[in-house]
Amino acid sequence: MIDRMIVDADLCIKLGGSSKYRFLYDLLPQISGEVYIHTHAYGEVMLPSSAVSQLRELADEKKISVVNEDDLDSRVRTLYNAAYNILAGVMLDPERPNKNRGEVCSLAYAKAAGIPVFATDERELQPMIDKLLNTGMDDIRCIRIVDIVNMAKSGDIALSRKEAKALWVIAGKKKEVFDEEVWPAGQENEK
């Protein structure tokens, strides 16, 4: 289990994409002891309604903490502002100022607060984080849907192969990739 992680809206939307399978609500507390979401990312989760309701339940039950930079003391806020400005210079487009803002706010918060894991499904984000933020101190690593499935495969979280495949498909990924590369049939949980 991860000690602390902050989640991005895209991961919440993908995990919360089904009313039948409540992956967002069920899995986040299994993956990490403390789960955070920045208020900007929280506000980006507007659809589907199943994701919105699962995220709201998690917040209401204090299984996820909704945070923002106003919570930080002045010294830590300075770190947040520095990380935000570095990321904003690369990730924010003045023509579309809200695109990627959730990621920028979340990553800056993670860097300032020492949260080591960013749960997202953005494939190209880790190299950017490594280049712009990771200095060897309070480094951030991304986990994606494939990592969550691998946690299930290794028995670190309670999710059967069938459920993991449903998660994979609900997240908009190809079931052939799941069956052939990620978790081939016949490979049950390793624990």
Side-chain angles (χ1 to χ4, degrees):
M1 178 182 268
I2 296 166
D3 291 333
R4 302 169 70 215
M5 78 176 179
I6 192 163
V7 296
D8 190 22
D10 74 323
L11 189 92
C12 292
I13 290 165
K14 289 178 180 181
L15 289 178
S18 169
S19 297
K20 179 180 177 183
Y21 297 101
R22 294 172 42 85
F23 294 126
L24 179 62
Y25 181 84
D26 293 336
L27 293 180
L28 287 186
Q30 286 188 60
I31 295 168
S32 181
E34 294 178 28
V35 183
Y36 304 89
I37 188 167
H38 191 278
T39 52
H40 196 86
Y42 185 87
E44 289 178 348
V45 182
M46 296 184 277
L47 289 171
S49 60
S50 56
V52 174
S53 63
Q54 289 177 59
L55 187 57
R56 189 175 299 128
E57 275 183 72
L58 286 165
D60 289 348
E61 295 173 15
K62 309 260 187 275
K63 293 179 179 179
I64 191 169
S65 299
V66 182
V67 297
N68 69 49
E69 56 279 10
D70 295 337
D71 305 332
L72 302 171
D73 69 41
S74 61
R75 183 185 57 79
V76 179
R77 178 68 183 261
T78 301
L79 291 170
Y80 171 89
N81 290 339
Y84 181 92
N85 290 332
I86 289 168
L87 293 166
V90 175
M91 295 178 68
L92 296 183
D93 178 357
E95 301 288 318
R96 299 172 65 199
N98 283 325
K99 176 139 177 57
N100 298 329
R101 189 169 306 278
E103 289 97 338
V104 170
C105 292
S106 298
L107 284 166
Y109 191 93
K111 187 64 178 175
I115 299 170
V117 175
F118 182 50
T120 182
D121 210 37
E122 297 289 336
R123 181 192 306 212
E124 304 301 324
L125 207 47
Q126 187 68 59
M128 188 179 308
I129 293 168
D130 290 342
K131 181 180 178 185
L132 299 175
L133 293 181
N134 287 347
T135 60
M137 192 167 124
D138 293 327
D139 286 351
I140 299 166
R141 73 177 170 91
C142 294
I143 65 165
R144 299 175 41 233
I145 299 286
V146 69
D147 300 308
I148 294 170
V149 169
N150 285 328
M151 291 169 118
K153 185 177 173 184
S154 66
D156 293 331
I157 58 174
L159 194 67
S160 69
R161 182 185 181 278
K162 180 181 175 184
E163 292 165 326
K165 185 174 181 177
L167 167 61
W168 188 262
V169 172
I170 290 165
K173 299 180 183 305
K174 295 179 181 169
K175 63 182 171 184
E176 298 79 24
V177 172
F178 182 90
D179 287 334
E180 295 167 16
E181 298 172 27
V182 178
W183 195 344
Q187 293 182 355
E188 291 310 309
N189 297 56
E190 295 168 8
K191 280 189 179 172

